[in-house]
């Protein structure tokens, strides 16, 4: 267990999906998408009270169990629609586990299966940041250049004007200021009471976990799925080569 008390890891995976059909069990580099998150979570299971998959779908539940995940319930339909927010999904999981185990959780770790590049070290670093105190949550972000606010414009009276940050002509991307960061969906670590009493995953005080370039891709479209397959194969091949040279185990599969 970590020094944060009891942490519940929740992998939410509903059956419906608009952008990529059945994406949670879509084969990516030979494995169902959800398998990558399950595998990483189980390698870090000593840090958690339990690691569970919350789904409404029998097929997803079967696949999740095949890869070693615990699926203690099937989520009700009202928590599985396109418009269902994540907060009640996590609250349902917390209530179920606390009632079943007769405990009071301390933190909830949301691990979205649409982020297959997450590393064990990301989980560990998030917990280290949370253990420093003075935060309601830890959320992963990545630095952005192509989506920096300096590039955003608005049209007023037929003229192109800055949306919020003035861009000087010829500014190099490495000179964009201030540095901008975007949530990438890989890590959400939240205090139990922030989730249950404030109905929030973020809370008021958020610590950032800055992930490295290439360590995150959120699969929302077919192009995302194709890119993820390329990145996963590159990572597997690269880790295989490093293991052969060092005889060290992988932190990610």
């Amino acid at each position: 267990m970590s020094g944060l008390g009891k942490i519940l890891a929740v992998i939410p995976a509903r059956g419906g999906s608009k952008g990529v059909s059945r994406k949670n069990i879509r084969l990516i580099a030979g494995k169902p998408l959800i398998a990558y998150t399950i595998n990483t979570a189980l390698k870090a299971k000593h840090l958690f009270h339990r690691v569970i998959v919350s789904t409404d779908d029998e097929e997803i539940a079967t696949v999740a169990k095949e890869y070693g995940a615990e699926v203690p319930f099937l989520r009700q339909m009202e928590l599985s629609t396109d418009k269902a927010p994540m907060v009640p999904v996590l609250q349902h999981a917390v209530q179920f586990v606390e009632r079943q185990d007769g405990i009071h959780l301390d933190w909830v770790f949301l691990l979205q299966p649409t982020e297959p590049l997450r590393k064990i070290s990301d989980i560990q670093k998030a917990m280290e940041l949370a253990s420093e105190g003075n935060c309601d949550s830890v959320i992963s972000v990545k630095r952005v250049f192509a989506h920096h606010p300096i590039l955003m414009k608005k049209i007023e009276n037929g003229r192109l004007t800055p949306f919020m940050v003035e861009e000087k002509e010829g500014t190099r991307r490495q000179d964009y200021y201030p540095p901008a960061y975007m949530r990438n969906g890989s890590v959400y670590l939240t205090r139990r009471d922030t989730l249950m009493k404030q109905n929030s995953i973020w809370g008021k005080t958020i610590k950032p976990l800055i992930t490295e370039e290439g360590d995150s891709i959120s699969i929302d479209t077919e192009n995302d799925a194709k890119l993820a397959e390329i990145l996963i194969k590159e990572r597997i091949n690269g880790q295989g080569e490093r293991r052969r040279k060092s005889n060290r185990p992988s932190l990610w599969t």
Side-chain angles (χ1 to χ4, degrees), residues 49-208:
H49 172 66
R50 287 169 73 176
V51 177
I52 69 171
V53 170
S54 171
T55 185
D56 63 311
D57 189 278
E58 291 278 5
E59 185 180 11
I60 292 176
T62 298
V63 170
K65 291 175 184 176
E66 288 173 355
Y67 282 88
E70 180 185 355
V71 188
F73 56 78
L74 283 182
R75 193 196 313 166
Q76 53 261 52
M77 291 305 299
E78 59 265 30
L79 295 178
S80 305
T81 66
D82 288 340
K83 296 181 179 180
M86 185 61 68
V87 166
V89 171
L90 296 178
Q91 289 174 333
H92 172 261
V94 167
Q95 290 167 348
F96 181 93
V97 169
E98 289 187 336
R99 183 171 58 250
Q100 187 175 69
D101 295 355
I103 61 155
H104 187 281
L105 294 165
D106 298 290
W107 291 79
V108 180
F109 210 127
L110 167 60
L111 296 168
Q112 299 186 113
T114 47
E115 283 282 341
L117 299 181
R118 181 192 302 102
K119 295 178 179 179
I120 295 176
S121 57
D122 296 330
I123 294 173
Q124 294 169 329
K125 289 175 184 176
M127 292 184 179
E128 289 169 6
L129 286 169
S131 68
E132 294 171 0
N134 301 316
C135 72
D136 297 313
S137 65
V138 176
I139 295 178
S140 60
V141 296
K142 60 181 178 182
R143 188 173 178 183
V144 294
F145 293 96
H147 297 95
H148 193 284
I150 200 172
L151 300 174
M152 302 301 156
K153 311 296 180 184
K154 58 184 176 181
I155 299 175
E156 293 182 327
N157 300 319
R159 300 177 63 184
L160 196 64
T161 62
F163 190 84
M164 60 184 300
V165 180
E166 183 71 40
E167 177 187 14
K168 294 182 179 179
E169 187 172 349
T171 303
R172 302 176 305 166
R173 58 177 259 155
Q174 59 265 40
D175 295 330
Y176 293 167
Y177 186 83
Y181 300 87
M182 182 169 63
R183 287 184 296 110
N184 59 13
S186 180
V187 164
Y188 291 91
L189 176 58
T190 308
R191 287 187 187 275
R192 182 263 186 208
D193 287 351
T194 297
L195 174 69
M196 305 303 288
K197 296 181 180 180
Q198 299 178 28
N199 296 312
S200 174
I201 296 172
W202 299 3
K204 295 180 179 179
T205 305
I206 306 168
K207 284 190 176 180

Side-chain angles (χ1 to χ4, degrees), residues 230-246 250 252:
I230 293 171
L231 294 175
I232 288 171
K233 287 180 177 178
E234 286 181 350
R235 180 177 286 186
I236 292 172
N237 292 337
Q239 288 190 344
E241 180 63 26
R242 287 194 295 273
R243 286 199 299 275
R244 282 191 292 273
K245 292 180 179 179
S246 66
S250 170
W252 181 93

